[in-house]
Every structure is written in structure tokens, then in C-alpha cells.
């Protein structure tokens, strides 16, 4: 079974990419279980906080694990971030360090939309192809000039790192990963 982690970064980020990722991978599990009588993914929400509020406290997510408790991870999914990228990066230094550590151990990493900002802050995207939401391309290029940003790119797949463009194109990426 593949160990899959959907990150819940600190800050006002995009809950739909967390919930959507969980829903899609859970549906893949259900389908696989009907055919093979077992699940393909062990899905966990993980972060560094016990609870993260979204949409000014209207919604909350309680990660099932702290990232420090996770040993073997096959795939990490980074959700899209709020448009205050500097703040998101500043609020998540432990997650950034953990991403570097896990990638060096062989974990694959997928970013949804603007989640690429968090991964780029780790330098793991340096000299690699990447896509992100089209509306953020200028900011991304200025902030991370070493990343080969593909304008209008839908999905990139390079050495166990996957990225996708904006909005609901994350569903294409998740289907690709399944």
C-alpha cells in the first residue's frame, strides 16, 4: 500500500484542494478495493499544527498526523496556497525542511496550483520544469528565477516531482497520479 500524505500547511490556504485531493484518492481506493479487495493508498492529512482554520475560521481541518510522526511516505500532495506566498512560506519552515528530507529519501511530491511556491522555497524545483496558476506566473518568476516555469503548462512530471497549472486543473494532476 502506498503511503500518501496530503499536507495541511499553516495559514489561510485553499481548503478545496485539500478536500478535493482527499476525495479523489479515497474514491480511487474504493474502486481498487472493489476489484482487488484491498486499498492502494493509506491517505493521511498531515501538518505541523493540530488544527488549521480556513476562510476566516469558517472551516477547520484537523490533520491526522504531525509530519514529524511520519516515517515512510511514498507521495506528498501540497495544496494550493493563499495568494500571500511570502506569509505562507514564512509560516511553514518545518514543512519546507521536511519536504527536502522526504524527497532525498525517495518520496515523490506533487504540488497543486500555487502550492508550487512552497515547494520552490525548498529549492527542489531549481533547474526543473514547473507549472502553477497562470495569474501568478510573473510573481513566481521573480521570486524563483532558477525554476523553469512553463507558461500555460497543465502538468509537469520530472524526477518524482509533479506540478500543475491553476484552478481545477488539479483534478487532471490527481487523475494522472492515480
Amino acid at each position: 500500500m502506498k503511503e500518501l500524505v496530503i499536507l495541511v500547511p499553516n495559514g489561510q490556504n485553499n481548503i478545496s484542494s485539500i478536500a478535493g485531493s482527499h476525495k479523489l484518492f479515497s474514491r480511487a481506493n474504493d474502486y481498487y478495493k472493489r476489484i482487488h479487495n484491498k486499498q492502494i493508498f493509506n491517505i493521511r492529512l498531515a501538518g505541523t499544527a493540530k488544527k488549521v482554520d480556513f476562510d476566516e475560521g469558517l472551516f477547520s481541518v484537523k490533520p491526522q498526523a504531525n509530519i514529524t510522526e511520519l516515517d515512510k511516505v511514498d507521495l506528498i500532495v501540497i495544496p494550493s496556497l493563499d495568494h500571500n506566498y511570502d506569509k505562507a512560506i514564512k509560516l511553514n519552515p518545518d514543512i519546507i525542511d521536511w519536504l527536502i528530507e522526504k524527497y532525498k529519501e525517495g518520496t515523490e511530491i506533487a504540488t497543486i496550483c500555487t502550492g508550487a511556491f512552497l515547494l520552490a522555497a525548498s529549492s527542489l524545483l531549481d533547474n526543473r520544469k514547473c507549472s502553477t496558476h497562470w495569474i501568478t506566473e510573473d510573481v513566481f518568476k521573480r521570486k524563483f528565477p532558477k525554476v523553469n516555469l512553463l507558461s500555460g503548462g497543465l502538468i509537469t512530471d520530472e524526477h518524482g516531482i509533479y506540478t500543475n497549472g491553476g484552478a481545477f486543473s488539479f483534478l487532471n494532476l490527481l487523475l494522472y497520479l492515480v
Side-chain angles (χ1 to χ4, degrees):
M1 183 176 329
K2 300 245 182 222
E3 296 295 323
L4 187 147
V5 169
I6 301 168
L7 278 180
V8 183
N10 298 315
Q12 290 286 321
N13 296 305
N14 188 333
I15 193 170
S16 67
S17 61
I18 294 169
S21 297
H22 190 274
K23 180 70 83 180
L24 194 136
F25 285 114
S26 294
R27 297 288 183 192
N29 261 349
D30 293 344
Y31 178 77
Y32 195 83
K33 190 173 183 177
R34 279 196 312 263
I35 295 171
H36 301 285
N37 207 26
K38 63 181 179 179
Q39 296 185 131
I40 192 167
F41 301 112
N42 181 31
I43 306 164
R44 289 183 283 182
L45 300 181
T48 58
K50 292 184 183 210
K51 180 178 127 181
V52 179
D53 291 327
F54 296 87
D55 297 326
E56 312 305 323
L58 185 60
F59 302 102
S60 296
V61 174
K62 296 177 185 174
Q64 298 154 309
N66 188 294
I67 58 171
T68 61
E69 302 167 349
L70 303 175
D71 196 22
K72 170 110 172 66
V73 178
D74 295 299
L75 175 63
I76 298 167
V77 176
I78 303 171
S80 59
L81 303 175
D82 186 347
H83 291 278
N84 189 340
Y85 310 112
D86 291 330
K87 184 175 180 183
I89 290 166
K90 191 174 187 175
L91 288 173
N92 292 287
D94 293 340
I95 286 177
I96 293 168
D97 291 342
W98 183 75
L99 291 170
I100 295 166
E101 174 189 327
K102 288 300 168 192
Y103 185 72
K104 286 179 180 176
E105 292 174 3
T107 301
E108 295 183 317
I109 302 173
T111 67
I112 294 174
C113 189
T114 55
F117 280 81
L118 198 59
L119 188 58
S122 73
S123 298
L124 289 173
L125 286 175
D126 287 0
N127 304 309
R128 294 180 194 240
K129 295 179 217 161
C130 171
S131 57
T132 189
H133 196 288
W134 63 269
I135 205 163
T136 67
E137 286 181 357
D138 291 339
V139 174
F140 191 93
K141 285 178 186 177
R142 279 193 307 275
K143 192 162 189 56
F144 304 108
K146 293 181 181 178
V147 177
N148 179 12
L149 186 65
L150 301 178
S151 294
L154 187 57
I155 296 174
T156 65
D157 173 347
E158 191 172 356
H159 306 289
I161 293 180
Y162 312 91
T163 65
N164 79 285
F168 286 98
S169 69
F170 84 90
L171 294 172
N172 293 315
L173 174 65
L174 297 179
L175 290 170
Y176 178 80
L177 293 171
V178 168

